[in-house]
């Protein structure tokens, strides 16, 4: 029944590694997002996709590459992980209209050592 | 610059007491406004939203928020807080980019 699910929930890895976080939504939404929540709980958008097309890329380093194989999935691949990438990453989806609320996944806590 | 400000980082209230969490936005027009709640280890859940019309909006779990254009504010209120309301609360706005700009959050603690 989970509306927006992301895996894994926790991810611990070393600097320099490459990792992926997967996200799937079963709400039939057209738009999906990745948000980053830092250690001070501040949430900032990274990317948004509408029907598999990149809409927003918010000055994220190109080590981060989102991939949307279909409109129900938006995965996040991170190359050459750095200590500063440690954060909680949230996937979200919406109907894609201006006033559509976002539905969030439960987050992936990434720790880079 | 477009921004959302939540002036209170941390608020503690007694169970049964009333609550008001402050939110101010900076934008040249009226944005779409939202309040979300985040429980520990969880994602964000929508409490309520304002688009237009009645400036007092009702949400889930007994929360309400009032939009005041003159003050660029969208404060969240609850008349009687329950222990289960302890969480992090985020105010957010959408200016038509189809992406939310969040405030920094207010952590609510509820004392028995």
């Amino acid at each position: 029944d989970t509306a927006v699910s992301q895996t894994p929930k926790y991810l611990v890895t070393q600097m320099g590694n490459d990792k992926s976080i997967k996200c799937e939504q079963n709400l039939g939404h057209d738009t999906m997002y990745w948000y980053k929540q830092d250690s001070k709980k501040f949430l900032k958008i990274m990317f948004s996709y509408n029907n598999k097309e990149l809409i927003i890329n918010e000055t994220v380093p190109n080590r981060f590459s989102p991939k949307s194989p279909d409109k129900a999935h938006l995965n996040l691949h991170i190359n050459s992980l750095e200590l500063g990438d440690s954060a909680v990453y949230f996937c979200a989806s919406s109907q894609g209209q201006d006033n559509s609320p976002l539905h969030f996944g439960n987050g992936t806590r990434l720790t880079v050592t | 610059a477009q921004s959302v400000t939540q002036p209170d980082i941390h608020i503690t209230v007694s169970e049964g007491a009333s609550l008001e969490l402050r939110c101010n936005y900076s934008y040249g027009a009226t944005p779409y406004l939202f309040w979300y709640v985040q429980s520990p280890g969880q994602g964000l859940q929508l409490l309520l939203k304002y688009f237009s019309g009645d400036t007092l909006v009702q949400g889930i779990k007994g929360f309400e928020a009032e939009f005041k254009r003159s003050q660029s504010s969208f404060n969240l209120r609850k008349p009687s807080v329950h222990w289960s309301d302890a969480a992090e609360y985020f105010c957010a706005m959408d200016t038509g980019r189809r992406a939310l700009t969040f405030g920094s959050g207010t952590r609510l603690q509820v004392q028995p």
Side-chain angles (χ1 to χ4, degrees), chain A residues 80-101:
Chain A
S80 304
L81 278 155
E82 300 177 357
L83 292 177
D85 298 332
S86 295
V88 181
Y89 292 84
F90 285 98
C91 179
S93 71
S94 77
Q95 290 284 17
Q97 298 165 353
D98 290 348
N99 55 18
S100 299

Side-chain angles (χ1 to χ4, degrees), chain A residues 11-19 81 110-113:
Chain A
L11 185 53
V12 181
T13 188
Q14 291 184 325
M15 285 175 54
N17 285 348
D18 303 339
K19 291 293 178 185
L81 278 155
L110 171 65
T111 303
V112 182
T113 62

Side-chain angles (χ1 to χ4, degrees), chain B residues 15 23 30 37 58 69 72 97:
Chain B
E15 191 167 16
C23 172
T30 299
V37 60
Q58 302 297 319
R69 187 190 309 273
S72 298
R97 294 177 64 218

Side-chain angles (χ1 to χ4, degrees), chain B residues 68-83:
Chain B
K68 292 186 177 180
R69 187 190 309 273
S70 61
Q71 298 177 18
S72 298
S73 69
F74 188 55
N75 294 348
L76 182 70
R77 300 195 294 247
K78 186 169 184 178
S80 177
V81 171
H82 188 262
W83 64 266

Side-chain angles (χ1 to χ4, degrees), chain B residues 36-99:
Chain B
Y36 283 84
V37 60
Q38 183 181 26
S39 298
Q42 301 295 314
L44 282 77
Q45 181 184 19
L46 178 70
L47 285 176
L48 46 77
K49 57 191 178 187
Y50 172 77
F51 301 148
S52 64
D54 193 348
T55 56
L56 185 64
V57 292
Q58 302 297 319
I60 62 171
K61 304 184 180 186
F63 285 93
E64 66 179 25
E66 185 172 13
F67 169 66
K68 292 186 177 180
R69 187 190 309 273
S70 61
Q71 298 177 18
S72 298
S73 69
F74 188 55
N75 294 348
L76 182 70
R77 300 195 294 247
K78 186 169 184 178
S80 177
V81 171
H82 188 262
W83 64 266
S84 60
D85 293 324
E88 191 91 23
Y89 290 81
F90 292 93
C91 182
M93 71 175 179
D94 182 353
T95 59
R97 294 177 64 218
R98 300 184 183 179

